[in-house]
Amino acid sequence: MLALGLVLTSPARAQAETISNPVAVFSGLDKITATITTLQVPINTTKRFGQIEVTPKVCYSRPATEEPKTSTFVEIDEIEEDGSKKRIFTGWMFAESPALNALEHPVFDIWLTSCTDPNKAPEAAPDQGPAPEVAPEDIPQDTD
């Protein structure tokens, strides 16, 4: 009698390229003044927004040819009245799901909007080929 063994394996998943960026871009809402501010914070650098200090540790994105996925690991501290700092957030934020892990504070909200590399030219969208030619008679005329 022959024993036939089957080996089940999971299909290999294609891994999208991850781009590590030197700058994380956040939006900050001051609920007292109803002002939204853009914060561009270099990795491992702290930027103050009101009584909040934001320190991104990494900021990842994907190439323009991949499905968008932008994330950062960030630490956020609140500066107390006596000058001491209290850690109020440590974790991942996702630009495509800002409500998932944004900082919600009684006075300030902070969420990730993007990751950038100011030294790199923006990526072009994938080439779609030449634009179709349009004959002049196919262009609608202005009737006003």
Side-chain angles (χ1 to χ4, degrees):
M1 174 184 209
L2 283 175
L4 182 61
L6 295 176
V7 177
L8 298 176
T9 59
S10 63
R13 280 203 250 165
Q15 294 291 323
E17 177 186 353
T18 299
I19 300 169
S20 184
N21 297 279
V23 178
V25 182
F26 299 89
S27 284
L29 170 63
D30 180 333
K31 296 177 185 177
I32 303 298
T33 63
T35 304
I36 296 178
T37 303
T38 299
L39 307 167
Q40 293 191 7
V41 189
I43 300 304
N44 292 317
T45 303
T46 300
K47 188 155 196 176
R48 189 168 173 171
F49 175 65
Q51 296 304 109
I52 303 293
E53 290 186 341
V54 179
T55 309
K57 298 299 183 178
V58 296
C59 200
Y60 298 129
S61 61
R62 290 186 180 172
T65 56
E66 298 287 334
E67 179 182 345
K69 184 176 180 186
T70 306
S71 58
T72 187
F73 188 83
V74 63
E75 297 175 343
I76 301 177
D77 298 319
E78 181 177 23
I79 300 170
E80 302 285 330
E81 288 182 16
D82 64 0
S84 65
K85 296 179 185 180
K86 178 176 82 172
R87 177 75 32 97
I88 57 174
F89 183 90
T90 300
W92 289 96
M93 286 187 179
F94 306 97
E96 289 76 26
S97 302
L100 186 61
N101 281 355
L103 169 73
E104 294 180 14
H105 179 272
V107 179
F108 304 103
D109 286 351
I110 304 280
W111 63 95
L112 177 68
T113 58
S114 67
C115 297
T116 65
D117 185 346
N119 300 318
K120 186 176 176 185
E123 287 189 27
D127 187 15
Q128 301 294 323
E133 291 187 32
V134 178
E137 61 271 10
D138 292 336
I139 299 173
Q141 298 298 315
D142 186 6
T143 58
D144 288 338

